[in-house]
Amino acid sequence: MKKPDRERDLIRLRIGMRRHLDEVQRRRARRKRSVQGPARAELPPGARFDEATKRHVIPVPKVLNFLDNRTESLGFMQTFRDAVLRGKQRVLLDFSECTRISPTAMLYLLAEVYRCRHYGNPRLLDGTYPQHERLHRQMQACGFFKLLNISERLPPIKKVYPLEYIKFMTGTKSVGQDADELRTALLGPELRWTRDAGDAVYRGLTEAMTNVVHHAYPEESLRRSIPRLRDRWWMVGHFNEMSKELRILFVDQGVGIPRTVPKKHSIEAIKAALARYGITSPKDGELIQAAMEIGKTKTRLRHQGLGLNDFKRLTDACKGGSLRILSNYGEYRYKYPDEEAVTNYDQSIEGTLIEWWVPLEAIANWTPDHVNDNDSHSV
Amino acid sequence: MTTTATVFSIARDFSRYPAGRFKNDGPWSGEKFRDDYLIDLVKRNGKVVIDLDGTAGYGSSFLEEAFGGLVRKLKLSSKQVEEMIQLRSTDDSLIEEIRQYMQLAATDGK
C-alpha cells in the first residue's frame, strides 16, 4: 500500500480542521435554533427596547474603526445585522453619540445596512441622524441616508476635488464602467490620474469584481441563516485631507479568501507559497499572503489564479501608498516597495475588504493650491 | 501582392470598458471578445493588428482569457501566434504582458 504524503496530509489537515470545526459548530447552532425557534440577537449594553415604536434602539459606538476599535465596531455591526436578519427584530440605529466612522468601517456599515434592507423587510431597519455635523456630512456624501430611504437634511455644498467621499456603488458583475466612474468621480473634471495610476485603479477594481463573481459566493455558501446577496460587491472612494491620501475601498460579504485558496489552488502550490515565509501552520492572514504569492508563481492552473497581484499594481504604479486586505480573521498589508505584514484577529469580518491608500502623486496635475475645505480626521 | 493586416481597435470596435474573464462575469468580458470577435478576425484575415489604446484600462483576467484563451482554443504554437497577432499600444508593458500570456498558453498546450 502506498504511504500517504505526510506533509501534504498535515497541511490539508490544518487548513481543513478549522473549517470542519466551524461547520460542526454551525450545525449545532442550527439544531439548537430549530428547537428553540428564531434566535434573538444578544443586544449590546446600552441597547433598549422602545415600547412606543416596538423597536430595539441600538446605540452606534462613538468611534467605528477597524484599526483601533475592531472588536466593538464589528460587534456592533454583526449585532444589528443578526437582530434584523435572523431575529426579524425591528431595529433603530442611534447615531447620536457617534462622532467618527473610518472609511473602512463606513463601507462595511453601508454593505450591512444594504443587506438588511434588501434581503428581508426593509422596514425592520432604520436610523437616526448623527448630531456630529462633520459625520453627518460624510454619511450624506457617501449615500448612507439615501440607502436608508430617509431624506438628506444638509444642504448641498460646493464640491471641492478630490471629493472627501463619493457615493458608494454596488453591483453583481465585473463592469468596467463602474470602475471608471469611481476613479473619475473622485477626482472631478479637472484633476486627472497619471496614466499608470489610472490604469492600475481600473485594473484593481475590475479584478476585485471578477474575483467576487468567480469565488466569493459559491452556491453552498448562500444557504445559511444570515443570507448572502449573490455576487454582490460595494465600493467607495475617499480623500483624506490630513494625510493627503486617496483611499479606494472595496468589500464583499462572501466566504473570504482564506476559504477560497485551498479550493482554487493545489496543496503543492499553497505549501510552496507558505514555505517562502517559513509558515507551516497557516491562519487566515497567512493564507491571504499565500494567495498573493501564488499569483506571482507558476501553478497548475496558472491562467486562472485569483489575480490578487493586480491589487499591488496601484501602489507600485505610484511608487508609494499601501494595500490592505482584510478577509475573515486575517489581514494582509503591503507597503511599497516590498514591505509585507500579516495579522490575525479573534473576530471575523465575514467577507473580504480591500483598501488602497494612494498618495497624491498618483494625480498628474494636483498642486497644493487644490485646497480641500473639508476638515478630515486621520484614519 | 502585399496583404494588409486588419486593424481592430478594442476601444472602437468592441468596448471602452473591457472587464472580466467569462461571459457571465460582465458585459464586455475576455471570453466574449475572443469568441465573438477575435477568433473570427484571425480565421478570416490570417493576420490581425489589435490596437489596445483608448480603453478605460484592462484587467489581467480579461487579457489572459482573450489572448491566452485564443492560443488554447485554436491550439496555436508560439510561431503561429507571432505571425497572426500583432499588438499595438503606447504602453509597452501591456504588449509584453499579453505576449507572456500567449506564450505561456502555447507552452502549456504542448
Side-chain angles (χ1 to χ4, degrees):
Chain A
M1 189 169 83
K2 189 180 169 185
K3 269 190 187 173
D5 183 327
R6 190 165 181 274
E7 282 186 84
R8 180 190 301 194
D9 284 348
L10 278 173
I11 288 184
R12 190 180 289 125
L13 194 65
R14 285 184 195 118
I15 290 173
M17 183 58 75
R18 190 170 61 230
R19 281 166 53 196
H20 169 71
L21 290 174
D22 284 349
E23 184 56 31
V24 166
Q25 279 181 333
R26 276 195 291 271
R27 283 183 193 164
R28 280 186 190 150
R30 272 200 295 270
R31 276 199 296 271
K32 195 173 168 188
R33 277 197 303 274
S34 70
V35 170
Q36 292 176 342
R40 294 281 156 181
E42 213 172 295
L43 297 176
R48 58 182 176 83
F49 184 74
D50 182 49
E51 281 294 340
T53 57
K54 302 288 184 219
R55 286 189 295 200
H56 294 277
V57 180
I58 301 179
V60 179
K62 203 168 155 59
V63 172
L64 286 179
N65 181 334
F66 287 171
L67 211 58
D68 306 322
N69 196 23
R70 181 186 170 106
T71 302
E72 189 182 17
S73 301
L74 272 180
F76 154 72
M77 304 227 206
Q78 289 168 359
T79 294
F80 83 73
R81 176 205 66 192
D82 288 0
V84 172
L85 292 179
R86 194 183 285 164
K88 307 282 189 270
Q89 297 163 347
R90 291 189 68 199
V91 168
L92 177 78
L93 300 178
D94 182 3
F95 282 92
S96 56
E97 297 300 314
C98 184
T99 58
R100 188 154 58 92
I101 303 178
S102 74
T104 315
M106 185 76 83
L107 183 62
Y108 193 91
L109 177 64
L110 280 163
E112 284 297 3
V113 170
Y114 188 102
R115 171 160 51 176
C116 287
R117 286 190 64 81
H118 282 77
Y119 197 92
N121 182 347
R123 287 196 292 261
L124 286 181
L125 182 65
D126 210 339
T128 65
Y129 295 97
Q131 290 184 5
H132 194 274
E133 189 185 332
R134 170 128 197 77
L135 176 61
H136 189 150
R137 192 162 292 289
Q138 289 172 332
M139 291 171 72
Q140 183 163 310
C142 69
F144 188 85
F145 301 122
K146 274 215 165 117
L147 172 59
L148 275 177
N149 209 26
I150 55 181
S151 56
E152 294 181 341
R153 277 190 176 168
L154 297 178
I157 57 169
K158 180 175 174 260
K159 284 184 179 174
V160 180
Y161 294 99
L163 288 181
E164 189 186 12
Y165 268 110
I166 64 161
K167 286 224 178 340
F168 83 95
M169 300 168 72
T170 183
T172 57
K173 293 286 181 193
S174 183
V175 180
Q177 219 159 342
D178 288 346
D180 186 51
E181 189 182 321
L182 184 145
R183 72 177 177 184
T184 307
L186 194 53
L187 295 193
E190 290 178 10
L191 296 173
R192 64 177 189 282
W193 296 89
T194 62
R195 185 172 84 169
D196 287 350
D199 285 350
V201 170
Y202 185 88
R203 181 180 285 248
L205 286 175
T206 55
E207 283 306 299
M209 295 174 196
T210 304
N211 273 351
V212 168
V213 176
H214 287 182
H215 306 298
Y217 299 91
E219 195 62 43
E220 64 273 13
S221 76
L222 299 173
R223 295 183 295 274
R224 55 200 288 271
S225 59
I226 300 293
R228 289 188 165 110
L229 295 167
R230 186 194 294 267
D231 296 345
R232 179 70 52 184
W233 51 259
W234 297 259
M235 61 184 185
V236 81
H238 172 258
F239 172 63
N240 186 302
E241 168 65 16
M242 299 271 282
S243 64
K244 297 279 186 288
E245 282 177 309
L246 295 156
R247 272 210 241 177
I248 295 171
L249 301 119
F250 184 97
V251 73
D252 71 70
Q253 295 170 337
V255 296
I257 295 171
R259 281 186 59 185
T260 303
V261 170
K263 287 185 179 176
K264 294 299 172 188
H265 297 290
S266 66
I267 291 288
E268 290 81 9
I270 298 172
K271 186 178 153 186
L274 293 170
R276 186 179 177 271
Y277 302 98
I279 297 165
T280 52
S281 302
K283 294 186 178 174
D284 282 3
E286 287 82 12
L287 285 172
I288 303 170
Q289 190 173 36
M292 299 294 289
E293 183 62 25
I294 288 170
K296 291 192 291 191
T297 60
K298 295 178 182 178
T299 65
R300 189 169 58 84
L301 281 174
R302 54 190 170 192
H303 63 270
Q304 283 196 37
L306 295 177
L308 298 193
N309 264 288
D310 277 348
F311 298 162
K312 281 187 184 174
R313 279 212 180 203
L314 185 50
T315 56
D316 292 348
C318 303
K319 294 187 172 33
S322 59
L323 164 72
R324 185 162 76 130
I325 302 176
L326 296 99
S327 196
N328 295 354
Y329 295 88
E331 177 179 312
Y332 167 86
R333 289 183 305 284
Y334 168 76
K335 201 170 173 184
Y336 182 83
D338 56 11
E339 209 177 301
E340 291 181 303
V342 162
T343 309
N344 290 290
Y345 298 95
D346 293 332
Q347 206 167 357
S348 171
I349 68 162
E350 298 181 30
T352 299
L353 201 151
I354 306 165
E355 184 181 39
W356 290 272
W357 294 71
V358 183
L360 281 175
E361 283 73 26
I363 303 174
N365 55 339
W366 186 86
T367 67
D369 293 332
H370 281 101
V371 173
N372 189 316
D373 287 337
N374 297 317
D375 177 27
S376 299
H377 294 273
S378 62
V379 184
Chain B
M1 185 174 77
T2 310
T3 307
T4 311
T6 303
V7 178
F8 183 94
S9 161
I10 292 183
R12 184 192 63 211
D13 302 321
F14 176 68
S15 171
R16 276 206 68 229
Y17 306 104
R21 183 181 283 275
F22 303 120
K23 286 178 181 173
N24 188 52
D25 294 347
W28 303 110
S29 66
E31 186 182 32
K32 181 179 176 67
F33 171 61
R34 181 194 70 218
D35 289 352
D36 298 354
Y37 293 83
L38 191 54
I39 288 179
D40 192 49
L41 275 167
V42 163
K43 283 185 172 174
R44 272 196 292 122
N45 300 291
K47 186 179 177 72
V48 60
V49 176
I50 304 291
D51 185 347
L52 301 163
D53 287 343
T55 66
Y58 293 97
S60 57
S61 295
F62 175 91
L63 295 173
E64 204 291 323
E65 189 62 31
F67 295 98
L70 174 77
V71 170
R72 284 190 295 274
K73 209 151 186 184
L74 298 186
K75 295 184 173 38
L76 300 175
S77 68
S78 303
K79 191 162 179 289
Q80 284 172 312
V81 164
E82 293 281 334
E83 285 168 1
M84 291 161 96
I85 309 277
Q86 185 185 328
L87 300 168
R88 185 188 288 176
S89 173
T90 52
D91 184 349
D92 290 336
S93 67
L94 190 56
I95 294 175
E96 182 53 34
E97 182 182 355
I98 295 171
R99 280 212 181 108
Q100 284 185 10
Y101 292 140
M102 291 197 288
Q103 291 299 331
L104 275 170
T107 312
D108 280 350
K110 285 184 182 162

